[in-house]
Amino acid sequence: MLALGTKAPEFEAPDQTGKTHKLSYHLGKWVLLYFYPKDFTSGCTTEACGIRDNYEGFKKIDATVFE
């Protein structure tokens, strides 16, 4: 668990299309990573809806959203 304010470690991961992303590609930008433990659970649905409902706000601050 990272402490609040700790710089995120570098990572590399594929998206749903197979394109590889690295955190370092987005230096200087807000990045939102969405992880969930299991499909069709209340927590995953609530979090996904929160991202969906606030998506325009994320775009206004030029955030990159990884789902």
Side-chain angles (χ1 to χ4, degrees):
M1 178 71 73
L2 297 176
L4 183 63
T6 302
K7 184 177 177 181
E10 174 68 294
F11 73 88
E12 181 177 313
D15 67 15
Q16 66 274 17
T17 67
K19 181 179 176 184
T20 298
H21 297 272
K22 284 182 155 186
L23 184 58
S24 59
Y25 294 165
H26 306 280
L27 287 176
K29 295 180 83 175
W30 288 98
V31 175
L32 181 117
L33 298 173
Y34 171 47
F35 297 97
Y36 61 94
K38 187 175 178 183
D39 289 338
F40 308 112
T41 60
S42 62
C44 127
T45 301
T46 300
E47 189 171 354
C49 290
I51 293 169
R52 177 202 63 206
D53 294 347
N54 294 289
Y55 192 77
E56 289 305 314
F58 295 132
K59 289 312 214 181
K60 283 182 182 177
I61 64 168
D62 198 26
T64 300
V65 179
F66 292 105
E67 304 171 43

Short mmCIF file of all heavy atoms in Angstrom, two decimals:
data_model
loop_
_atom_site.label_atom_id
_atom_site.label_comp_id
_atom_site.label_asym_id
_atom_site.label_seq_id
_atom_site.Cartn_x
_atom_site.Cartn_y
_atom_site.Cartn_z
N MET A 1 0.85 -1.17 0.00
CA MET A 1 0.00 0.00 0.00
C MET A 1 0.90 1.24 0.00
O MET A 1 1.79 1.35 0.82
CB MET A 1 -0.90 -0.03 1.23
CG MET A 1 -1.81 1.16 1.37
SD MET A 1 -3.16 1.27 0.21
CE MET A 1 -4.25 0.01 0.81
N LEU A 2 0.64 2.15 -0.94
CA LEU A 2 1.40 3.40 -0.99
C LEU A 2 0.75 4.44 -0.08
O LEU A 2 -0.47 4.52 0.01
CB LEU A 2 1.42 3.95 -2.42
CG LEU A 2 2.11 3.10 -3.48
CD1 LEU A 2 1.95 3.72 -4.85
CD2 LEU A 2 3.57 2.91 -3.15
N ALA A 3 1.57 5.21 0.56
CA ALA A 3 1.07 6.31 1.40
C ALA A 3 0.59 7.45 0.50
O ALA A 3 1.11 7.64 -0.61
CB ALA A 3 2.17 6.79 2.33
N LEU A 4 -0.39 8.19 0.97
CA LEU A 4 -0.90 9.34 0.25
C LEU A 4 0.25 10.29 -0.09
O LEU A 4 1.09 10.58 0.76
CB LEU A 4 -1.94 10.07 1.09
CG LEU A 4 -2.63 11.25 0.44
CD1 LEU A 4 -3.42 10.81 -0.78
CD2 LEU A 4 -3.56 11.93 1.43
N GLY A 5 0.32 10.70 -1.33
CA GLY A 5 1.38 11.61 -1.77
C GLY A 5 2.61 10.92 -2.30
O GLY A 5 3.52 11.57 -2.81
N THR A 6 2.67 9.59 -2.20
CA THR A 6 3.82 8.84 -2.70
C THR A 6 3.75 8.75 -4.23
O THR A 6 2.69 8.50 -4.79
CB THR A 6 3.83 7.41 -2.13
OG1 THR A 6 3.86 7.47 -0.72
CG2 THR A 6 5.01 6.60 -2.64
N LYS A 7 4.86 8.98 -4.87
CA LYS A 7 4.92 8.86 -6.32
C LYS A 7 4.66 7.42 -6.73
O LYS A 7 5.23 6.49 -6.15
CB LYS A 7 6.30 9.31 -6.82
CG LYS A 7 6.43 9.31 -8.31
CD LYS A 7 7.79 9.83 -8.72
CE LYS A 7 7.95 9.76 -10.22
NZ LYS A 7 9.25 10.24 -10.66
N ALA A 8 3.81 7.24 -7.69
CA ALA A 8 3.48 5.89 -8.17
C ALA A 8 4.69 5.27 -8.86
O ALA A 8 5.42 5.96 -9.57
CB ALA A 8 2.31 5.93 -9.14
N PRO A 9 4.90 3.98 -8.66
CA PRO A 9 6.01 3.31 -9.35
C PRO A 9 5.71 3.16 -10.84
O PRO A 9 4.56 3.13 -11.26
CB PRO A 9 6.08 1.95 -8.67
CG PRO A 9 4.71 1.71 -8.15
CD PRO A 9 4.15 3.06 -7.81
N GLU A 10 6.75 3.08 -11.63
CA GLU A 10 6.59 2.84 -13.07
C GLU A 10 5.91 1.50 -13.28
O GLU A 10 6.14 0.54 -12.52
CB GLU A 10 7.96 2.86 -13.76
CG GLU A 10 7.95 2.47 -15.23
CD GLU A 10 7.26 3.48 -16.13
OE1 GLU A 10 6.03 3.66 -16.02
OE2 GLU A 10 7.94 4.06 -16.99
N PHE A 11 5.05 1.43 -14.26
CA PHE A 11 4.44 0.15 -14.63
C PHE A 11 4.18 0.15 -16.12
O PHE A 11 4.19 1.19 -16.78
CB PHE A 11 3.13 -0.10 -13.86
CG PHE A 11 1.99 0.76 -14.33
CD1 PHE A 11 1.16 0.35 -15.36
CD2 PHE A 11 1.76 1.98 -13.75
CE1 PHE A 11 0.13 1.16 -15.80
CE2 PHE A 11 0.74 2.80 -14.17
CZ PHE A 11 -0.08 2.38 -15.21
N GLU A 12 3.96 -1.03 -16.62
CA GLU A 12 3.64 -1.25 -18.03
C GLU A 12 2.51 -2.27 -18.05
O GLU A 12 2.59 -3.29 -17.37
CB GLU A 12 4.87 -1.79 -18.75
CG GLU A 12 4.68 -2.03 -20.21
CD GLU A 12 5.97 -2.49 -20.88
OE1 GLU A 12 7.02 -1.86 -20.65
OE2 GLU A 12 5.91 -3.49 -21.60
N ALA A 13 1.45 -1.97 -18.82
CA ALA A 13 0.31 -2.89 -18.87
C ALA A 13 -0.43 -2.72 -20.20
O ALA A 13 -0.48 -1.63 -20.76
CB ALA A 13 -0.64 -2.61 -17.72
N PRO A 14 -1.01 -3.82 -20.68
CA PRO A 14 -1.80 -3.73 -21.92
C PRO A 14 -3.22 -3.24 -21.61
O PRO A 14 -3.75 -3.49 -20.54
CB PRO A 14 -1.82 -5.17 -22.43
CG PRO A 14 -1.73 -6.00 -21.18
CD PRO A 14 -0.87 -5.20 -20.23
N ASP A 15 -3.82 -2.54 -22.58
CA ASP A 15 -5.23 -2.18 -22.44
C ASP A 15 -6.09 -3.26 -23.09
O ASP A 15 -5.58 -4.31 -23.51
CB ASP A 15 -5.51 -0.78 -23.00
CG ASP A 15 -5.33 -0.66 -24.52
OD1 ASP A 15 -5.26 -1.70 -25.22
OD2 ASP A 15 -5.28 0.48 -25.00
N GLN A 16 -7.39 -2.99 -23.19
CA GLN A 16 -8.31 -4.00 -23.71
C GLN A 16 -8.09 -4.31 -25.19
O GLN A 16 -8.54 -5.32 -25.69
CB GLN A 16 -9.77 -3.57 -23.46
CG GLN A 16 -10.21 -2.35 -24.21
CD GLN A 16 -9.89 -1.04 -23.52
OE1 GLN A 16 -9.08 -0.98 -22.61
NE2 GLN A 16 -10.53 0.03 -23.94
N THR A 17 -7.35 -3.44 -25.90
CA THR A 17 -7.06 -3.69 -27.31
C THR A 17 -5.69 -4.31 -27.51
O THR A 17 -5.29 -4.59 -28.63
CB THR A 17 -7.13 -2.38 -28.12
OG1 THR A 17 -6.06 -1.52 -27.72
CG2 THR A 17 -8.47 -1.69 -27.96
N GLY A 18 -4.93 -4.48 -26.41
CA GLY A 18 -3.59 -5.06 -26.50
C GLY A 18 -2.49 -4.01 -26.59
O GLY A 18 -1.31 -4.35 -26.58
N LYS A 19 -2.85 -2.72 -26.68
CA LYS A 19 -1.85 -1.66 -26.73
C LYS A 19 -1.18 -1.54 -25.36
O LYS A 19 -1.85 -1.53 -24.34
CB LYS A 19 -2.51 -0.33 -27.09
CG LYS A 19 -1.53 0.82 -27.19
CD LYS A 19 -2.24 2.11 -27.58
CE LYS A 19 -1.25 3.26 -27.57
NZ LYS A 19 -1.92 4.54 -27.86
N THR A 20 0.15 -1.46 -25.36
CA THR A 20 0.90 -1.35 -24.10
C THR A 20 1.00 0.11 -23.68
O THR A 20 1.28 0.99 -24.50
CB THR A 20 2.30 -1.94 -24.27
OG1 THR A 20 2.17 -3.32 -24.59
CG2 THR A 20 3.12 -1.81 -23.00
N HIS A 21 0.77 0.36 -22.40
CA HIS A 21 0.89 1.69 -21.82
C HIS A 21 1.90 1.64 -20.68
O HIS A 21 1.97 0.66 -19.96
CB HIS A 21 -0.46 2.15 -21.25
CG HIS A 21 -1.52 2.28 -22.28
ND1 HIS A 21 -1.71 3.44 -22.99
CD2 HIS A 21 -2.45 1.41 -22.74
CE1 HIS A 21 -2.71 3.27 -23.84
NE2 HIS A 21 -3.17 2.04 -23.69
N LYS A 22 2.66 2.71 -20.55
CA LYS A 22 3.59 2.88 -19.43
C LYS A 22 3.19 4.16 -18.71
O LYS A 22 2.80 5.15 -19.35
CB LYS A 22 5.03 3.05 -19.92
CG LYS A 22 5.70 1.79 -20.38
CD LYS A 22 7.13 2.13 -20.78
CE LYS A 22 8.01 0.92 -20.65
NZ LYS A 22 9.41 1.25 -20.88
N LEU A 23 3.30 4.15 -17.41
CA LEU A 23 2.98 5.35 -16.64
C LEU A 23 3.86 6.52 -17.09
O LEU A 23 3.40 7.65 -17.20
CB LEU A 23 3.15 5.08 -15.15
CG LEU A 23 2.75 6.22 -14.22
CD1 LEU A 23 1.30 6.61 -14.43
CD2 LEU A 23 3.00 5.84 -12.77
N SER A 24 5.12 6.25 -17.41
CA SER A 24 6.04 7.31 -17.80
C SER A 24 5.62 8.01 -19.10
O SER A 24 6.07 9.12 -19.37
CB SER A 24 7.47 6.77 -17.93
OG SER A 24 7.52 5.73 -18.89
N TYR A 25 4.76 7.39 -19.90
CA TYR A 25 4.25 8.03 -21.11
C TYR A 25 3.35 9.22 -20.76
O TYR A 25 3.04 10.04 -21.62
CB TYR A 25 3.42 7.07 -21.95
CG TYR A 25 4.15 5.91 -22.57
CD1 TYR A 25 3.44 4.85 -23.09
CD2 TYR A 25 5.54 5.86 -22.65
CE1 TYR A 25 4.08 3.77 -23.67
CE2 TYR A 25 6.18 4.77 -23.23
CZ TYR A 25 5.44 3.73 -23.73
OH TYR A 25 6.08 2.65 -24.31
N HIS A 26 2.90 9.29 -19.53
CA HIS A 26 1.91 10.29 -19.12
C HIS A 26 2.44 11.22 -18.03
O HIS A 26 1.66 11.77 -17.25
CB HIS A 26 0.64 9.57 -18.65
CG HIS A 26 0.12 8.62 -19.67
ND1 HIS A 26 -0.64 9.02 -20.74
CD2 HIS A 26 0.29 7.29 -19.81
CE1 HIS A 26 -0.93 7.97 -21.49
NE2 HIS A 26 -0.38 6.91 -20.94
N LEU A 27 3.76 11.41 -17.99
CA LEU A 27 4.36 12.28 -16.97
C LEU A 27 3.75 13.68 -17.05
O LEU A 27 3.53 14.22 -18.13
CB LEU A 27 5.86 12.38 -17.17
CG LEU A 27 6.67 11.16 -16.77
CD1 LEU A 27 8.14 11.36 -17.11
CD2 LEU A 27 6.50 10.85 -15.30
N GLY A 28 3.46 14.24 -15.88
CA GLY A 28 2.91 15.58 -15.82
C GLY A 28 1.41 15.66 -15.98
O GLY A 28 0.84 16.74 -15.97
N LYS A 29 0.75 14.51 -16.15
CA LYS A 29 -0.70 14.47 -16.30
C LYS A 29 -1.32 13.68 -15.16
O LYS A 29 -0.67 12.84 -14.55
CB LYS A 29 -1.08 13.79 -17.63
CG LYS A 29 -0.65 14.54 -18.86
CD LYS A 29 -1.06 13.81 -20.12
CE LYS A 29 -2.49 14.16 -20.43
NZ LYS A 29 -2.95 13.58 -21.69
N TRP A 30 -2.58 13.95 -14.89
CA TRP A 30 -3.34 13.12 -13.97
C TRP A 30 -3.64 11.80 -14.66
O TRP A 30 -3.97 11.76 -15.84
CB TRP A 30 -4.66 13.79 -13.61
CG TRP A 30 -4.53 14.97 -12.73
CD1 TRP A 30 -4.52 16.28 -13.12
CD2 TRP A 30 -4.36 14.96 -11.32
NE1 TRP A 30 -4.37 17.08 -12.01
CE2 TRP A 30 -4.27 16.30 -10.90
CE3 TRP A 30 -4.29 13.96 -10.37
CZ2 TRP A 30 -4.11 16.66 -9.58
CZ3 TRP A 30 -4.12 14.31 -9.04
CH2 TRP A 30 -4.04 15.63 -8.66
N VAL A 31 -3.51 10.71 -13.92
CA VAL A 31 -3.79 9.38 -14.44
C VAL A 31 -4.72 8.67 -13.47
O VAL A 31 -4.45 8.62 -12.27
CB VAL A 31 -2.50 8.55 -14.63
CG1 VAL A 31 -2.81 7.13 -15.07
CG2 VAL A 31 -1.57 9.23 -15.64
N LEU A 32 -5.82 8.14 -13.98
CA LEU A 32 -6.76 7.39 -13.15
C LEU A 32 -6.72 5.94 -13.60
O LEU A 32 -6.94 5.64 -14.78
CB LEU A 32 -8.18 7.94 -13.32
CG LEU A 32 -9.20 7.23 -12.47
CD1 LEU A 32 -9.81 8.20 -11.49
CD2 LEU A 32 -10.27 6.60 -13.33
N LEU A 33 -6.39 5.04 -12.67
CA LEU A 33 -6.37 3.61 -12.94
C LEU A 33 -7.55 2.97 -12.26
O LEU A 33 -7.79 3.19 -11.07
CB LEU A 33 -5.09 2.96 -12.39
CG LEU A 33 -3.78 3.45 -12.97
CD1 LEU A 33 -2.62 2.85 -12.19
CD2 LEU A 33 -3.68 3.11 -14.43
N TYR A 34 -8.27 2.17 -12.99
CA TYR A 34 -9.46 1.51 -12.44
C TYR A 34 -9.22 0.00 -12.41
O TYR A 34 -9.03 -0.63 -13.44
CB TYR A 34 -10.66 1.85 -13.31
CG TYR A 34 -11.91 1.07 -13.01
CD1 TYR A 34 -12.37 0.91 -11.72
CD2 TYR A 34 -12.66 0.51 -14.04
CE1 TYR A 34 -13.51 0.21 -11.45
CE2 TYR A 34 -13.82 -0.19 -13.78
CZ TYR A 34 -14.24 -0.34 -12.49
OH TYR A 34 -15.38 -1.04 -12.22
N PHE A 35 -9.17 -0.54 -11.21
CA PHE A 35 -9.04 -1.98 -11.01
C PHE A 35 -10.27 -2.47 -10.26
O PHE A 35 -10.81 -1.75 -9.43
CB PHE A 35 -7.82 -2.31 -10.14
CG PHE A 35 -6.52 -1.92 -10.75
CD1 PHE A 35 -5.91 -0.73 -10.41
CD2 PHE A 35 -5.88 -2.76 -11.66
CE1 PHE A 35 -4.69 -0.36 -10.96
CE2 PHE A 35 -4.67 -2.40 -12.21
CZ PHE A 35 -4.07 -1.20 -11.86
N TYR A 36 -10.68 -3.66 -10.53
CA TYR A 36 -11.78 -4.22 -9.76
C TYR A 36 -11.55 -5.71 -9.56
O TYR A 36 -10.91 -6.36 -10.39
CB TYR A 36 -13.14 -3.96 -10.42
CG TYR A 36 -13.30 -4.54 -11.80
CD1 TYR A 36 -13.88 -5.79 -11.98
CD2 TYR A 36 -12.88 -3.86 -12.92
CE1 TYR A 36 -14.04 -6.34 -13.24
CE2 TYR A 36 -13.04 -4.39 -14.19
CZ TYR A 36 -13.62 -5.63 -14.33
OH TYR A 36 -13.76 -6.16 -15.58
N PRO A 37 -12.06 -6.25 -8.44
CA PRO A 37 -11.76 -7.64 -8.10
C PRO A 37 -12.58 -8.67 -8.87
O PRO A 37 -12.12 -9.77 -9.12
CB PRO A 37 -12.05 -7.73 -6.61
CG PRO A 37 -13.06 -6.66 -6.37
CD PRO A 37 -12.75 -5.57 -7.36
N LYS A 38 -13.81 -8.32 -9.24
CA LYS A 38 -14.68 -9.31 -9.86
C LYS A 38 -15.82 -8.62 -10.59
O LYS A 38 -16.38 -7.65 -10.11
CB LYS A 38 -15.25 -10.23 -8.77
CG LYS A 38 -16.04 -11.40 -9.31
CD LYS A 38 -16.47 -12.32 -8.19
CE LYS A 38 -17.30 -13.45 -8.75
NZ LYS A 38 -17.81 -14.33 -7.72
N ASP A 39 -16.17 -9.13 -11.78
CA ASP A 39 -17.30 -8.58 -12.53
C ASP A 39 -18.61 -8.72 -11.77
O ASP A 39 -18.81 -9.67 -11.02
CB ASP A 39 -17.45 -9.32 -13.87
CG ASP A 39 -16.35 -9.00 -14.85
OD1 ASP A 39 -15.71 -7.95 -14.70
OD2 ASP A 39 -16.14 -9.79 -15.78
N PHE A 40 -19.48 -7.75 -12.01
CA PHE A 40 -20.87 -7.79 -11.53
C PHE A 40 -21.00 -7.85 -10.01
O PHE A 40 -21.89 -8.48 -9.48
CB PHE A 40 -21.64 -8.94 -12.19
CG PHE A 40 -21.53 -8.92 -13.68
CD1 PHE A 40 -20.84 -9.91 -14.35
CD2 PHE A 40 -22.09 -7.88 -14.42
CE1 PHE A 40 -20.72 -9.89 -15.74
CE2 PHE A 40 -21.96 -7.85 -15.80
CZ PHE A 40 -21.29 -8.85 -16.46
N THR A 41 -20.07 -7.18 -9.30
CA THR A 41 -20.20 -7.04 -7.85
C THR A 41 -20.60 -5.60 -7.55
O THR A 41 -20.39 -4.71 -8.37
CB THR A 41 -18.88 -7.37 -7.13
OG1 THR A 41 -17.87 -6.46 -7.58
CG2 THR A 41 -18.44 -8.82 -7.39
N SER A 42 -21.17 -5.37 -6.39
CA SER A 42 -21.66 -4.02 -6.07
C SER A 42 -20.53 -2.99 -6.03
O SER A 42 -20.71 -1.86 -6.49
CB SER A 42 -22.43 -4.03 -4.74
OG SER A 42 -21.57 -4.43 -3.69
N GLY A 43 -19.39 -3.36 -5.49
CA GLY A 43 -18.27 -2.42 -5.43
C GLY A 43 -17.77 -2.05 -6.80
O GLY A 43 -17.52 -0.88 -7.09
N CYS A 44 -17.64 -3.02 -7.67
CA CYS A 44 -17.15 -2.76 -9.03
C CYS A 44 -18.15 -1.90 -9.78
O CYS A 44 -17.78 -0.97 -10.47
CB CYS A 44 -16.87 -4.09 -9.71
SG CYS A 44 -17.59 -4.41 -11.29
N THR A 45 -19.43 -2.17 -9.62
CA THR A 45 -20.46 -1.39 -10.31
C THR A 45 -20.48 0.04 -9.80
O THR A 45 -20.54 0.99 -10.59
CB THR A 45 -21.84 -2.05 -10.12
OG1 THR A 45 -21.78 -3.38 -10.65
CG2 THR A 45 -22.93 -1.26 -10.82
N THR A 46 -20.40 0.23 -8.49
CA THR A 46 -20.41 1.58 -7.91
C THR A 46 -19.22 2.39 -8.39
O THR A 46 -19.35 3.55 -8.78
CB THR A 46 -20.40 1.49 -6.36
OG1 THR A 46 -21.56 0.78 -5.94
CG2 THR A 46 -20.38 2.86 -5.73
N GLU A 47 -18.04 1.77 -8.39
CA GLU A 47 -16.84 2.48 -8.82
C GLU A 47 -16.92 2.82 -10.31
O GLU A 47 -16.61 3.94 -10.72
CB GLU A 47 -15.59 1.65 -8.54
CG GLU A 47 -14.31 2.42 -8.77
CD GLU A 47 -13.08 1.67 -8.28
OE1 GLU A 47 -13.20 0.59 -7.67
OE2 GLU A 47 -11.98 2.19 -8.52
N ALA A 48 -17.35 1.88 -11.13
CA ALA A 48 -17.47 2.12 -12.57
C ALA A 48 -18.47 3.23 -12.86
O ALA A 48 -18.22 4.10 -13.71
CB ALA A 48 -17.88 0.84 -13.29
N CYS A 49 -19.58 3.25 -12.14
CA CYS A 49 -20.58 4.30 -12.33
C CYS A 49 -20.03 5.66 -11.91
O CYS A 49 -20.31 6.67 -12.54
CB CYS A 49 -21.86 3.99 -11.55
SG CYS A 49 -22.79 2.61 -12.25
N GLY A 50 -19.24 5.69 -10.85
CA GLY A 50 -18.61 6.93 -10.41
C GLY A 50 -17.67 7.49 -11.46
O GLY A 50 -17.65 8.70 -11.71
N ILE A 51 -16.91 6.62 -12.09
CA ILE A 51 -16.01 7.06 -13.16
C ILE A 51 -16.83 7.55 -14.35
O ILE A 51 -16.56 8.61 -14.90
CB ILE A 51 -15.04 5.93 -13.56
CG1 ILE A 51 -14.09 5.65 -12.40
CG2 ILE A 51 -14.27 6.30 -14.83
CD1 ILE A 51 -13.28 4.38 -12.57
N ARG A 52 -17.83 6.79 -14.73
CA ARG A 52 -18.69 7.19 -15.85
C ARG A 52 -19.35 8.54 -15.58
O ARG A 52 -19.34 9.43 -16.42
CB ARG A 52 -19.78 6.13 -16.06
CG ARG A 52 -20.77 6.49 -17.16
CD ARG A 52 -22.09 5.75 -17.01
NE ARG A 52 -22.72 6.15 -15.76
CZ ARG A 52 -23.58 5.37 -15.10
NH1 ARG A 52 -23.88 4.17 -15.54
NH2 ARG A 52 -24.13 5.79 -13.98
N ASP A 53 -19.89 8.70 -14.38
CA ASP A 53 -20.62 9.92 -14.04
C ASP A 53 -19.72 11.15 -13.96
O ASP A 53 -20.18 12.27 -14.10
CB ASP A 53 -21.36 9.75 -12.72
CG ASP A 53 -22.47 8.70 -12.81
OD1 ASP A 53 -22.83 8.29 -13.93
OD2 ASP A 53 -22.96 8.30 -11.73
N ASN A 54 -18.43 10.94 -13.72
CA ASN A 54 -17.48 12.05 -13.59
C ASN A 54 -16.51 12.14 -14.75
O ASN A 54 -15.54 12.90 -14.70
CB ASN A 54 -16.72 11.92 -12.27
CG ASN A 54 -17.62 12.11 -11.09
OD1 ASN A 54 -18.07 13.22 -10.83
ND2 ASN A 54 -17.95 11.03 -10.40
N TYR A 55 -16.75 11.39 -15.81
CA TYR A 55 -15.82 11.29 -16.93
C TYR A 55 -15.52 12.65 -17.55
O TYR A 55 -14.36 12.96 -17.85
CB TYR A 55 -16.36 10.32 -17.98
CG TYR A 55 -15.34 9.95 -19.02
CD1 TYR A 55 -14.35 9.03 -18.73
CD2 TYR A 55 -15.35 10.53 -20.28
CE1 TYR A 55 -13.39 8.68 -19.67
CE2 TYR A 55 -14.40 10.19 -21.23
CZ TYR A 55 -13.43 9.27 -20.92
OH TYR A 55 -12.48 8.94 -21.85
N GLU A 56 -16.53 13.48 -17.73
CA GLU A 56 -16.32 14.80 -18.33
C GLU A 56 -15.41 15.65 -17.44
O GLU A 56 -14.58 16.41 -17.94
CB GLU A 56 -17.64 15.50 -18.60
CG GLU A 56 -18.42 14.87 -19.75
CD GLU A 56 -17.63 14.79 -21.04
OE1 GLU A 56 -16.97 15.77 -21.43
OE2 GLU A 56 -17.66 13.71 -21.68
N GLY A 57 -15.54 15.52 -16.13
CA GLY A 57 -14.66 16.24 -15.21
C GLY A 57 -13.22 15.78 -15.34
O GLY A 57 -12.29 16.60 -15.29
N PHE A 58 -13.02 14.49 -15.51
CA PHE A 58 -11.67 13.97 -15.73
C PHE A 58 -11.08 14.53 -17.01
O PHE A 58 -9.91 14.87 -17.07
CB PHE A 58 -11.66 12.44 -15.77
CG PHE A 58 -12.05 11.78 -14.48
CD1 PHE A 58 -12.99 10.76 -14.46
CD2 PHE A 58 -11.48 12.16 -13.28
CE1 PHE A 58 -13.35 10.15 -13.28
CE2 PHE A 58 -11.83 11.56 -12.09
CZ PHE A 58 -12.77 10.54 -12.09
N LYS A 59 -11.89 14.60 -18.05
CA LYS A 59 -11.42 15.14 -19.33
C LYS A 59 -11.09 16.63 -19.21
O LYS A 59 -10.15 17.10 -19.84
CB LYS A 59 -12.45 14.91 -20.43
CG LYS A 59 -12.56 13.45 -20.84
CD LYS A 59 -11.20 12.90 -21.08
CE LYS A 59 -11.11 11.90 -22.15
NZ LYS A 59 -9.74 11.40 -22.29
N LYS A 60 -11.86 17.37 -18.41
CA LYS A 60 -11.61 18.80 -18.24
C LYS A 60 -10.24 19.07 -17.63
O LYS A 60 -9.64 20.10 -17.90
CB LYS A 60 -12.70 19.44 -17.38
CG LYS A 60 -13.98 19.67 -18.13
CD LYS A 60 -15.02 20.34 -17.25
CE LYS A 60 -16.32 20.49 -18.03
NZ LYS A 60 -17.37 21.06 -17.19
N ILE A 61 -9.76 18.17 -16.79
CA ILE A 61 -8.42 18.35 -16.20
C ILE A 61 -7.37 17.58 -17.00
O ILE A 61 -6.24 17.43 -16.57
CB ILE A 61 -8.38 17.96 -14.71
CG1 ILE A 61 -8.67 16.47 -14.50
CG2 ILE A 61 -9.31 18.84 -13.90
CD1 ILE A 61 -8.36 15.97 -13.10
N ASP A 62 -7.77 17.11 -18.20
CA ASP A 62 -6.88 16.41 -19.11
C ASP A 62 -6.30 15.14 -18.49
O ASP A 62 -5.13 14.80 -18.69
CB ASP A 62 -5.75 17.33 -19.59
CG ASP A 62 -5.07 16.81 -20.85
OD1 ASP A 62 -5.72 16.07 -21.63
OD2 ASP A 62 -3.88 17.13 -21.05
N ALA A 63 -7.14 14.46 -17.70
CA ALA A 63 -6.71 13.20 -17.08
C ALA A 63 -6.78 12.05 -18.09
O ALA A 63 -7.67 12.01 -18.93
CB ALA A 63 -7.59 12.88 -15.88
N THR A 64 -5.84 11.14 -17.97
CA THR A 64 -5.89 9.89 -18.72
C THR A 64 -6.60 8.87 -17.86
O THR A 64 -6.23 8.67 -16.71
CB THR A 64 -4.46 9.42 -19.05
OG1 THR A 64 -3.80 10.42 -19.82
CG2 THR A 64 -4.48 8.12 -19.82
N VAL A 65 -7.63 8.24 -18.41
CA VAL A 65 -8.40 7.25 -17.66
C VAL A 65 -8.13 5.88 -18.24
O VAL A 65 -8.40 5.62 -19.42
CB VAL A 65 -9.92 7.56 -17.72
CG1 VAL A 65 -10.71 6.52 -16.95
CG2 VAL A 65 -10.21 8.96 -17.20
N PHE A 66 -7.56 4.99 -17.43
CA PHE A 66 -7.33 3.61 -17.82
C PHE A 66 -8.37 2.74 -17.12
O PHE A 66 -8.52 2.83 -15.91
CB PHE A 66 -5.93 3.13 -17.41
CG PHE A 66 -4.83 3.79 -18.17
CD1 PHE A 66 -4.06 4.77 -17.57
CD2 PHE A 66 -4.57 3.44 -19.47
CE1 PHE A 66 -3.04 5.39 -18.25
CE2 PHE A 66 -3.54 4.05 -20.17
CZ PHE A 66 -2.78 5.03 -19.57
N GLU A 67 -9.06 1.93 -17.87
CA GLU A 67 -10.09 1.07 -17.30
C GLU A 67 -9.74 -0.38 -17.50
O GLU A 67 -9.16 -0.75 -18.45
CB GLU A 67 -11.42 1.35 -17.97
CG GLU A 67 -11.81 2.81 -17.87
CD GLU A 67 -13.00 3.15 -18.71
OE1 GLU A 67 -13.97 2.36 -18.72
OE2 GLU A 67 -12.97 4.17 -19.36
#
